[in-house]
Amino acid sequence: MSNKEENALRYRRAQSVTKAEEITEKEKKARNSQLDKPIHKPRDSLFSWSSEFTNFTGLVNWGFLLLTIGGVRLCLENFLKYGIRVNPFEWIIVVTGYHEGQSHQYPSVILLIFSVVPAVFALLVEKAIARDVISSKMGVSVQIFNIISTVSLPVIVLNFKGQQFSFVGITTVCLIYLVLFLKLWSYVQTNHWCRQGMKAKQFKNKLRRQSLSAPNWNELVNAEQEQSEDDIDLSPGLVKYPHNLNLKDLFYFLLAPTLCYELNFPRTTRIRKRFLIKRLLEVVFGINLVLALFQQWMIPSVKNAVDPFSELDMIKMTERLLKLAVPNHLIWLCLFYLSFHSFLNLMGELLHFADRNFYNDWWNATNIAVFWNTWNMPVHVWAVRHVYKPITEMGYSRALASIVVFFISAFFHEYLVSVPLQMFRIWAFLGMMVQPPLSIISKVVEVKVGSRWGNIIVWSSLILGQPLAIMMYYHDYALEHFTPK
Amino acid sequence: MSNKEENALRYRRAQSVTKAEEITEKEKKARNSQLDKPIHKPRDSLFSWSSEFTNFTGLVNWGFLLLTIGGVRLCLENFLKYGIRVNPFEWIIVVTGYHEGQSHQYPSVILLIFSVVPAVFALLVEKAIARDVISSKMGVSVQIFNIISTVSLPVIVLNFKGQQFSFVGITTVCLIYLVLFLKLWSYVQTNHWCRQGMKAKQFKNKLRRQSLSAPNWNELVNAEQEQSEDDIDLSPGLVKYPHNLNLKDLFYFLLAPTLCYELNFPRTTRIRKRFLIKRLLEVVFGINLVLALFQQWMIPSVKNAVDPFSELDMIKMTERLLKLAVPNHLIWLCLFYLSFHSFLNLMGELLHFADRNFYNDWWNATNIAVFWNTWNMPVHVWAVRHVYKPITEMGYSRALASIVVFFISAFFHEYLVSVPLQMFRIWAFLGMMVQPPLSIISKVVEVKVGSRWGNIIVWSSLILGQPLAIMMYYHDYALEHFTPK
């Protein structure tokens, strides 16, 4: 204990009624022998600072109980106000875009099926490079072109066939093409590393053979050791470049719950049936829960919130924002669990994929940087392996690598929002740009005030940041589509 | 660790993808020497039961943040819906009952001043008994009559002057007279104990003197030892019966923050000025906060809630009840802190009263019996000292003593509600009658399910029980006063 703390403790004790009143044993005995059955004795109240009482664990239960009561009441109020709005048929219409009464070409479905083409094309180019049909440099250029056109394809198609897309359909297409972009990037780069590694090894072997032509026994022993180390690489069961370049391997990677390509993924030995059934049920019920929350709670709240935003009435805006924040946040939490736990684990179990590190304990994150590094592990691991590390290995600074990762992330956040809405605003991009200063603030708070408050900042930015961005988009969208210009 | 737990752990580990995939050191080395920079390894997701991950401390912050956001939103919604309804002048009218435009006799104020009379009367009777002017038996009968008429007085006056009371005025009167009732009961009973004790001592001394007349040296030594033990009682500074029977002592007890009379209360040596100022500010601001919450939040909610209750619409009733539960509970919490911490500590500090044990940590109570024994210490201590113990000491069972304490408590809860409302319903009494079965249920839950759930039951009954009773009274009150019969 430091001197300061000791002094504080001594002062606290001096302030207490208990310690101020120093009773001798004799006085105590005299008091207790009185005939009036005395029961009072000097004591501080528990809330008094000098009582040194700190057990308030019951208040945690109190908090969660109030939260539950508030939730049940909101639910009842919602049903009383809006009736039951959950309608699964409406969703079928929304997803397929069937209701528009126009020629039914289902461009989303066609685009999803077409996504196989750039993937197979990437495999063919890799095979051509591996067999020296084209040069490595030429091949990599073709691959980069292929990858960039993959991610651009939805934007182009949308420009021509925009009317026939449903919102959910185009969002799915954008998400799938973005995942494809990241996976192909990893596929091409990893194969490139393998080629470079093999070239380096061949060069080393050549050097070794040259040195063997002038016999020197010491070097010969060293060389044999190196040779034996190389032999471990040839351990049976591990696939080696270029034997990985086949359709089966490619499609396993495309379906596997990871964005980083590897020649030998860790595998499980069996499919746990109970685990599989649980995840499957979670996916089925989870999707319906999210859709119900959307129809019943989110859409009425957003609709009610547009007026205050166009009138720029600050108090009403804040009230609407806070009202929107709760269902939005709950939907986000459900979606997080659904995507990152239920769905990715389901895919992993089906594919015998053993690395289930899809998320880390971001709910304990003590600053915003930690949150971004823990909530979406597939993207985080991809960014570190394929952007951050290559840049730092080229000799650039870590700061530059971070900035590049950050801008790529910001760009794709905007891509996932602007393309489906067909509105090129910068709200999502701005939302991402706010993250670095917020990150610094939360780090300062964590160090100066305490990690609890850092965690509270992380949660606040999550709960309040998203609905703000959604309101901005919905406001602009409503202005564009529903009001006469 | 028990066998069962060990088996569960073993099973859990066997279910994990990590442990199922047993990698030898050699395989690991082989994998890591690959050219594709592998990063995947067998791992469970954190939400998977087999991951053994349990750190969810961040979720506590999440809960309190959502609670805060919900609170701020409710506050804004309230202001938008009802405007600012806080009006301190209205309160002056409500308290004094001035606005009725009738002859202003202020019966509440008169009754409050009159409360000195039964107190002084009790002192006079005690003095008469002490000086043997009247017999002890006769004196106690007079005192019992005095105490019962004290608590009946507000009811009688209300019957004749009911129109001139304000609701707050009569509530205050009832509360003060109830406190006076409890204090005088303690005063009379404690003095009675002292008299009985002195009589017993005189009887012992008489016996001793008789035995001394036939000298026996052993007994003489024993008697002297007893004498010296008695001398400790005569330690200077401690007041002894009947020297306590004076006005100063009586008024100190009436003002002191306790219901149990004692001849020598523990005293503090000084008044802590900072402590005093803090408590004073808390009282001033706290009263205004409670009044504001009442006008702005509670009254509109209760008014809106009456219709569903008269229509007996279950869903609407539940929604209203939950809506009412939150402001009611917050007001109760504020009132608790205000009365039991701020006000009683203020009185204690002013009067050098050292025993500040006005409440215990009821927020951690794991069953309802614990809650009733900890939340209101002055009444609890009074009930144990003046009802429970005397009954058990008379040889009756503890169960009987508990039941008597419980009925007295139920009766005075009803007294505090029915008299001011001038409506003799039994909702408050019924509310108290539900406590013993609830207490048994919560004890069973605590033992079978865990103390956390016992605590949750305590909080639930607090948060939901009170508004239910309030709704019942307000419903009956509104039916009687506002609808044509």
Side-chain angles (χ1 to χ4, degrees):
Chain A
M1 207 187 285
S2 73
N3 247 359
K4 211 174 160 188
E5 278 169 347
E6 240 171 60
N7 281 340
L9 202 66
R10 207 173 296 140
Y11 178 70
R12 189 180 291 187
R13 290 216 170 119
Q15 286 292 317
S16 165
V17 288
T18 322
K19 305 289 153 46
E21 177 88 346
E22 280 189 5
I23 306 178
T24 63
E25 270 306 301
K26 204 184 158 191
E27 278 173 345
K28 225 179 198 167
K29 211 176 160 190
R31 269 184 57 79
N32 288 338
S33 68
Q34 294 294 305
L35 298 169
D36 59 348
K37 305 185 186 175
I39 40 131
H40 295 93
K41 60 185 179 191
R43 273 177 289 197
D44 280 300
S45 292
L46 297 187
F47 288 142
S48 285
W49 174 67
S50 43
S51 77
E52 291 171 41
F53 181 87
T54 54
N55 180 9
F56 294 98
T57 49
L59 293 184
V60 173
N61 297 333
W62 172 80
F64 279 99
L65 197 66
L66 272 195
L67 216 58
T68 311
I69 288 173
V72 171
R73 191 191 72 78
L74 267 182
C75 210
L76 283 174
E77 191 193 53
N78 179 290
F79 279 117
L80 286 172
K81 205 165 166 186
Y82 301 118
I84 290 180
R85 297 210 168 185
V86 177
N87 176 4
F89 299 108
E90 193 189 311
W91 279 107
I92 295 167
I93 295 165
V94 168
V95 173
T96 58
Y98 188 85
H99 69 303
E100 313 224 355
Q102 297 171 355
S103 61
H104 300 306
Q105 300 188 352
Y106 303 115
S108 319
V109 180
I110 293 167
L111 267 178
L112 287 184
I113 295 169
F114 184 79
S115 68
V116 176
V117 176
V120 174
F121 181 72
L123 170 64
L124 291 177
V125 174
E126 280 303 322
K127 266 193 136 35
I129 305 170
R131 291 184 184 173
D132 279 329
V133 179
I134 53 173
S135 74
S136 174
K137 214 172 172 181
M138 171 73 184
V140 170
S141 307
V142 173
Q143 292 287 34
I144 291 173
F145 175 77
N146 179 32
I147 293 170
I148 290 175
S149 38
T150 301
V151 84
S152 314
L153 189 65
V155 186
I156 295 162
V157 174
L158 198 70
N159 253 336
F160 292 102
K161 302 257 176 186
Q163 294 299 317
Q164 289 177 27
F165 277 102
S166 73
F167 177 69
V168 177
I170 187 67
T171 308
T172 314
V173 167
C174 283
L175 190 66
I176 297 284
Y177 271 76
L178 187 55
V179 168
L180 190 66
F181 169 86
L182 298 173
K183 285 201 181 206
L184 289 184
W185 176 324
S186 176
Y187 187 72
V188 170
Q189 199 169 23
T190 306
N191 281 320
H192 186 68
W193 287 334
C194 288
R195 272 195 306 277
Q196 281 185 322
M198 281 177 73
K199 260 186 207 155
K201 207 177 274 181
Q202 281 166 1
F203 186 66
K204 208 163 73 179
N205 283 346
K206 212 170 162 189
L207 275 186
R208 194 195 296 153
R209 253 173 259 125
Q210 280 172 351
S211 68
L212 279 181
S213 62
N216 171 334
W217 282 106
N218 268 342
E219 274 181 14
L220 199 65
V221 171
N222 282 342
E224 255 167 25
Q225 272 177 354
E226 272 177 38
Q227 190 81 37
S228 69
E229 269 171 27
D230 286 355
D231 282 345
I232 294 171
D233 287 359
L234 295 164
S235 60
L238 288 191
V239 176
K240 306 218 57 178
Y241 185 86
H243 303 294
N244 62 313
L245 297 176
N246 57 62
L247 276 176
K248 197 187 157 202
D249 178 87
L250 174 69
F251 279 103
Y252 183 85
F253 170 56
L254 290 181
L255 292 172
T258 179
L259 298 171
C260 291
Y261 181 65
E262 234 177 83
L263 271 65
N264 299 282
F265 287 111
R267 308 291 280 266
T268 58
T269 46
R270 65 189 186 93
I271 292 178
R272 294 167 293 177
K273 282 194 194 64
R274 278 183 60 170
F275 184 89
L276 190 76
I277 290 167
K278 273 192 220 161
R279 298 294 88 77
L280 193 65
L281 289 177
E282 279 176 6
V283 169
V284 171
F285 283 106
I287 287 176
N288 282 291
L289 178 70
V290 167
L291 296 187
L293 282 174
F294 236 99
Q295 289 182 317
Q296 185 74 40
W297 199 0
M298 189 77 176
I299 290 175
S301 296
V302 172
K303 277 188 182 160
N304 287 341
V306 171
D307 277 356
F309 269 76
S310 40
E311 290 163 13
L312 287 175
D313 179 337
M314 277 308 287
I315 297 176
K316 275 194 191 166
M317 262 163 75
T318 314
E319 196 267 333
R320 280 294 114 182
L321 190 69
L322 294 182
K323 179 138 197 173
L324 189 62
V326 176
N328 174 74
H329 181 63
L330 290 183
I331 288 174
W332 184 82
L333 284 181
C334 286
L335 276 179
F336 169 80
Y337 184 86
L338 200 64
S339 324
F340 284 81
H341 187 71
S342 307
F343 179 69
L344 292 185
N345 261 308
L346 180 68
M347 293 302 290
E349 200 68 26
L350 282 172
L351 292 168
H352 287 282
F353 189 85
D355 191 345
R356 308 292 172 81
N357 184 35
F358 307 130
Y359 53 89
N360 232 314
D361 61 334
W362 55 264
W363 47 87
N364 298 327
T366 50
N367 67 57
I368 284 175
V370 172
F371 169 78
W372 284 105
N373 291 346
T374 47
W375 89 274
N376 186 334
M377 291 312 283
V379 166
H380 175 68
V381 169
W382 181 90
V384 170
R385 187 174 180 233
H386 292 290
V387 182
Y388 186 89
K389 272 193 183 166
I391 290 173
T392 51
E393 275 163 15
M394 278 193 284
Y396 294 104
S397 72
R398 286 171 170 214
L400 182 80
S402 298
I403 290 168
V404 172
V405 167
F406 175 73
F407 267 91
I408 291 178
S409 166
F411 176 76
F412 282 117
H413 270 88
E414 186 64 31
Y415 175 84
L416 276 180
V417 179
S418 286
V419 176
L421 286 173
Q422 303 183 48
M423 268 189 342
F424 292 88
R425 296 293 184 283
I426 48 153
W427 304 122
F429 191 78
L430 272 187
M432 285 303 290
M433 298 309 285
V434 178
Q435 298 304 317
L438 256 182
S439 183
I440 291 164
I441 292 171
S442 68
K443 235 173 222 163
V444 170
V445 168
E446 183 193 0
V447 173
K448 298 274 172 188
V449 190
S451 55
R452 182 180 206 92
W453 285 97
N455 182 252
I456 287 175
I457 288 188
V458 171
W459 279 112
S460 308
S461 81
L462 260 180
I463 297 175
L464 297 177
Q466 283 178 37
L468 193 64
I470 289 175
M471 281 317 305
M472 300 314 261
Y473 275 102
Y474 190 75
H475 173 250
D476 289 0
Y477 188 83
L479 270 188
E480 208 164 275
H481 288 75
F482 301 130
T483 52
K485 279 177 200 176
Chain B
M1 204 187 288
S2 74
N3 248 358
K4 211 173 160 189
E5 278 170 346
E6 238 172 61
N7 281 339
L9 201 68
R10 206 173 298 139
Y11 179 70
R12 190 180 290 185
R13 290 215 171 117
Q15 286 292 316
S16 164
V17 290
T18 323
K19 305 290 156 37
E21 178 87 344
E22 278 188 7
I23 306 178
T24 63
E25 270 306 301
K26 202 184 160 192
E27 278 173 345
K28 225 178 197 169
K29 210 174 162 191
R31 269 184 58 79
N32 288 339
S33 68
Q34 295 295 304
L35 298 169
D36 59 350
K37 306 185 185 176
I39 40 132
H40 295 93
K41 61 185 178 191
R43 273 177 289 196
D44 279 301
S45 292
L46 296 187
F47 287 142
S48 286
W49 175 67
S50 44
S51 77
E52 291 172 41
F53 182 87
T54 54
N55 181 8
F56 294 98
T57 50
L59 291 183
V60 174
N61 296 332
W62 170 80
F64 280 100
L65 198 65
L66 271 195
L67 215 56
T68 311
I69 288 174
V72 171
R73 190 191 73 78
L74 267 183
C75 211
L76 283 173
E77 191 193 53
N78 180 290
F79 279 116
L80 286 172
K81 205 165 165 186
Y82 302 117
I84 291 179
R85 299 209 167 187
V86 178
N87 178 4
F89 299 107
E90 192 188 312
W91 278 108
I92 295 167
I93 294 166
V94 169
V95 173
T96 58
Y98 188 83
H99 68 302
E100 313 222 356
Q102 297 170 355
S103 61
H104 300 308
Q105 299 187 352
Y106 304 115
S108 320
V109 180
I110 293 166
L111 268 178
L112 288 183
I113 295 168
F114 183 78
S115 67
V116 176
V117 176
V120 173
F121 181 72
L123 171 64
L124 292 176
V125 175
E126 280 304 321
K127 266 190 138 32
I129 305 170
R131 290 184 184 174
D132 280 328
V133 178
I134 53 174
S135 74
S136 174
K137 214 174 172 182
M138 171 73 183
V140 168
S141 305
V142 173
Q143 292 288 33
I144 290 172
F145 175 76
N146 180 32
I147 293 171
I148 290 175
S149 39
T150 301
V151 84
S152 314
L153 190 65
V155 185
I156 295 160
V157 174
L158 199 70
N159 253 336
F160 293 101
K161 303 256 179 187
Q163 294 299 317
Q164 290 176 29
F165 278 102
S166 72
F167 177 70
V168 177
I170 186 67
T171 308
T172 314
V173 168
C174 283
L175 192 66
I176 297 283
Y177 271 75
L178 187 56
V179 168
L180 191 65
F181 169 86
L182 298 172
K183 285 200 182 207
L184 289 184
W185 176 324
S186 175
Y187 188 71
V188 171
Q189 199 169 20
T190 306
N191 281 320
H192 186 68
W193 290 333
C194 289
R195 272 196 306 279
Q196 280 186 320
M198 281 176 73
K199 260 185 208 158
K201 208 178 272 180
Q202 281 165 3
F203 186 66
K204 210 163 70 180
N205 284 345
K206 212 172 162 187
L207 275 186
R208 194 196 294 152
R209 252 175 258 125
Q210 280 174 347
S211 68
L212 278 180
S213 61
N216 173 331
W217 284 104
N218 269 342
E219 274 181 14
L220 198 66
V221 171
N222 282 340
E224 254 166 26
Q225 273 177 355
E226 272 176 36
Q227 191 80 36
S228 70
E229 269 171 25
D230 285 354
D231 282 345
I232 295 172
D233 286 0
L234 295 163
S235 58
L238 287 189
V239 176
K240 305 218 58 175
Y241 185 84
H243 303 295
N244 63 314
L245 297 176
N246 58 61
L247 274 177
K248 197 187 157 201
D249 178 87
L250 175 69
F251 280 102
Y252 182 86
F253 170 56
L254 290 181
L255 291 172
T258 180
L259 298 172
C260 291
Y261 182 65
E262 232 177 85
L263 270 65
N264 299 282
F265 289 112
R267 307 290 280 265
T268 59
T269 46
R270 65 189 186 92
I271 292 177
R272 295 167 292 177
K273 283 194 193 64
R274 276 183 60 172
F275 184 88
L276 191 76
I277 290 167
K278 272 193 223 161
R279 295 296 88 78
L280 193 66
L281 289 177
E282 278 175 7
V283 169
V284 172
F285 282 107
I287 287 175
N288 282 291
L289 179 69
V290 168
L291 296 187
L293 282 175
F294 236 98
Q295 290 182 316
Q296 186 72 43
W297 198 359
M298 188 76 177
I299 290 175
S301 295
V302 172
K303 279 189 181 159
N304 287 342
V306 171
D307 278 356
F309 269 76
S310 40
E311 290 163 14
L312 287 175
D313 180 336
M314 278 308 289
I315 296 175
K316 274 193 191 166
M317 264 164 72
T318 315
E319 196 268 333
R320 280 295 115 181
L321 189 70
L322 294 181
K323 180 138 196 173
L324 188 62
V326 177
N328 174 73
H329 181 63
L330 290 182
I331 288 173
W332 184 83
L333 284 181
C334 287
L335 276 178
F336 168 80
Y337 184 87
L338 201 63
S339 323
F340 285 81
H341 187 71
S342 307
F343 179 70
L344 292 184
N345 261 307
L346 180 67
M347 292 304 289
E349 200 68 24
L350 282 173
L351 292 168
H352 288 282
F353 188 86
D355 191 344
R356 308 294 171 82
N357 183 36
F358 308 129
Y359 52 87
N360 233 314
D361 59 334
W362 54 264
W363 47 89
N364 298 327
T366 50
N367 66 57
I368 284 175
V370 172
F371 169 77
W372 285 104
N373 292 346
T374 48
W375 91 273
N376 186 334
M377 291 312 281
V379 166
H380 174 69
V381 169
W382 180 90
V384 170
R385 188 175 180 234
H386 292 289
V387 182
Y388 186 88
K389 273 193 183 167
I391 289 174
T392 52
E393 275 163 13
M394 279 195 282
Y396 294 104
S397 72
R398 288 172 168 212
L400 182 80
S402 298
I403 290 167
V404 172
V405 167
F406 176 74
F407 268 91
I408 292 178
S409 166
F411 175 76
F412 283 117
H413 270 88
E414 187 63 32
Y415 175 85
L416 275 180
V417 179
S418 286
V419 176
L421 284 173
Q422 303 183 46
M423 265 189 346
F424 292 88
R425 296 292 183 283
I426 48 153
W427 305 124
F429 191 80
L430 272 185
M432 285 302 291
M433 298 308 287
V434 179
Q435 299 304 316
L438 256 181
S439 183
I440 291 165
I441 292 171
S442 68
K443 233 173 225 164
V444 170
V445 168
E446 182 193 359
V447 174
K448 298 273 171 189
V449 190
S451 56
R452 180 179 207 94
W453 285 97
N455 182 252
I456 287 175
I457 288 187
V458 171
W459 278 114
S460 308
S461 81
L462 261 179
I463 297 176
L464 298 177
Q466 283 179 38
L468 193 64
I470 289 176
M471 281 317 307
M472 299 316 263
Y473 275 102
Y474 189 75
H475 173 251
D476 289 0
Y477 188 83
L479 270 187
E480 208 162 276
H481 289 76
F482 301 132
T483 53
K485 280 178 197 174

